[in-house]
Amino acid sequence: MEKFLAKWESLSASSGVVRFLDINLRSIGQVMFQNNPLTGIFFLAAIIWGSYAAGVPRVAIAGVLTVVVANLTAQWLHVDTESLHSGLYGFNGILVGLALATFLAPGPLLWVYVILGAAVSVVVMLGTTNVVKPWGGALTFPFVLTTWLLLLATYGFSGLAGAALPTGNVVAAFQPYQGSPLQLIDLVQGVFLSISQVFLKASSIAALLLLAGLAVSSLAAAAFALGGAILAVLTAHLFGAESDLITGGLLGFSPVLTAIALGTVFYQPGWRVVAYTILATVFTVIVQSAVNVALTPFAIPALTAPFVLVTWLFLLPRQRLEGVPEDARDIEKPAAVA
């Protein structure tokens, strides 16, 4: 693995085309905090598989297009080279593309929207980084904010329409969901889809590809992702969440990101860190449900907002939990990513 990466880096250094490919692959990996081009290949395979299996190949195409546009925009804005080469300006862009192509109906204006969203995500990334730098970086907030605004605007445009957006009266706000018993197979499905839904995919095969991509870069990240998914599903079931949300992984994808972030990125793994991460992961499930309810009248999805909110909250105390050095938490450094 190390020899392969060394050869790849040498090739990237000697070729501008390969370097740009490397940046885009790392950007895809950075969605789950991995600065590794091989991880990006696995993640890209998961996106393609999940999109084609669902009969929506345009989603994969939109993802590839937006990561390229985002990185071209970053180069145009003359961002710092180290962060660019680490893929830190493309991961929000690819999520914007995947989300827009998932939630909006196909058509020429969708692609205009996708390109616009990718470019704007870089601007939002730069601005957010400057504001939140003291407590851990922008995370996926640029993706959330950019996508929310673009989706909300579609209700005011006749040229764009939602294909998978809920209507405002699907669930009455502030009314409890009705839970139902789940079989073991349903819980297992919920665990795998919690992982794949990080990339807006409902596919167990995509989840396995994502876990493989994490493992080739960091076994700890793969373990925390799987553990976070299991904990999220069990927590949601314990509290009696709506069954389809659990089995569809829709209450687990943000907890998965929280588990990876706190367990492997912003703190060095240790027993106190594990306990802290468990607390944050459980709380992310609650925040996910709360945000789902709060956004019901607006008919837009929560996306990864619960992950961003909880991770920021759990980084703010600055507790000494076998933390990584202060400079490693800087979003401008490759170690502190998505």
Side-chain angles (χ1 to χ4, degrees), residues 10-71:
S10 176
L11 183 60
S12 298
S14 62
S15 170
V17 173
V18 177
R19 171 61 74 189
F20 189 67
L21 175 61
D22 176 70
I23 290 171
N24 286 289
L25 290 175
R26 290 178 188 272
S27 293
I28 299 172
Q30 290 284 23
V31 173
M32 297 179 81
F33 303 95
Q34 306 309 307
N35 182 15
N36 188 312
L38 187 56
T39 298
I41 293 174
F42 276 97
F43 285 9
L44 180 59
I47 293 168
I48 294 173
W49 173 269
S51 299
Y52 277 84
V56 284
R58 68 177 182 277
V59 175
I61 296 171
V64 173
L65 175 62
T66 46
V67 73
V68 170
V69 171
N71 282 313

Side-chain angles (χ1 to χ4, degrees), residues 24-333:
N24 286 289
L25 290 175
R26 290 178 188 272
S27 293
I28 299 172
Q30 290 284 23
V31 173
M32 297 179 81
F33 303 95
Q34 306 309 307
N35 182 15
N36 188 312
L38 187 56
T39 298
I41 293 174
F42 276 97
F43 285 9
L44 180 59
I47 293 168
I48 294 173
W49 173 269
S51 299
Y52 277 84
V56 284
R58 68 177 182 277
V59 175
I61 296 171
V64 173
L65 175 62
T66 46
V67 73
V68 170
V69 171
N71 282 313
L72 287 174
T73 302
Q75 290 182 332
W76 174 61
L77 292 174
H78 298 294
V79 301
D80 66 286
T81 302
E82 183 180 3
S83 296
L84 175 67
H85 287 182
S86 297
L88 295 181
Y89 293 102
F91 68 91
N92 278 291
I94 189 172
L95 290 175
V96 169
L98 294 175
L100 292 177
T102 297
F103 292 114
L104 298 181
L109 287 180
L110 169 64
W111 299 104
V112 175
Y113 232 43
V114 161
I115 293 171
L116 176 65
V120 170
S121 73
V122 178
V123 178
V124 179
M125 175 69 171
L126 289 167
T128 305
T129 298
N130 289 335
V131 174
V132 304
K133 189 183 257 187
W135 66 80
L139 305 176
T140 54
F141 178 77
F143 152 60
V144 172
L145 180 61
T146 302
T147 305
W148 274 353
L149 294 174
L150 289 169
L151 290 179
L152 278 171
T154 63
Y155 292 104
F157 298 144
S158 62
L160 292 156
L165 285 173
T167 58
N169 60 358
V170 168
V171 179
F174 313 118
Q175 294 296 317
Y177 290 109
Q178 297 297 317
S180 59
L182 292 176
Q183 301 299 317
L184 178 60
I185 187 64
D186 298 322
L187 293 175
V188 172
Q189 177 182 316
V191 168
F192 282 110
L193 297 195
S194 292
I195 296 170
S196 67
Q197 286 289 4
V198 171
F199 283 92
L200 293 91
K201 301 298 163 207
S203 167
S204 295
I205 293 178
L208 292 174
L209 288 169
L210 293 176
L211 285 173
L214 287 171
V216 300
S217 178
S218 168
L219 289 175
F224 271 90
L226 183 59
I230 294 171
L231 184 58
V233 167
L234 293 177
T235 300
H237 185 54
L238 174 65
F239 284 124
E242 197 264 325
S243 302
D244 288 342
L245 294 180
I246 299 175
T247 57
L250 297 176
L251 292 176
F253 60 91
S254 273
V256 165
L257 289 173
T258 299
I260 300 173
L262 295 179
T264 68
V265 178
F266 295 103
Y267 295 109
Q268 294 176 348
W271 288 115
R272 294 178 68 222
V273 170
V274 170
Y276 197 66
T277 301
I278 289 173
L279 178 62
T281 302
V282 169
F283 188 56
T284 306
V285 178
I286 296 172
V287 174
Q288 180 80 57
S289 184
V291 174
N292 286 347
V293 173
L295 291 177
T296 297
F298 300 97
I300 56 173
L303 304 176
T304 56
F307 149 65
V308 174
L309 178 59
V310 173
T311 301
W312 278 347
L313 288 175
F314 275 70
L315 288 174
L316 280 172
R318 294 288 188 178
Q319 294 301 106
R320 296 185 180 277
L321 297 169
E322 295 87 23
V324 295
E326 195 70 23
D327 60 351
R329 295 195 190 105
D330 190 336
I331 192 63
E332 296 300 321
K333 301 293 184 181

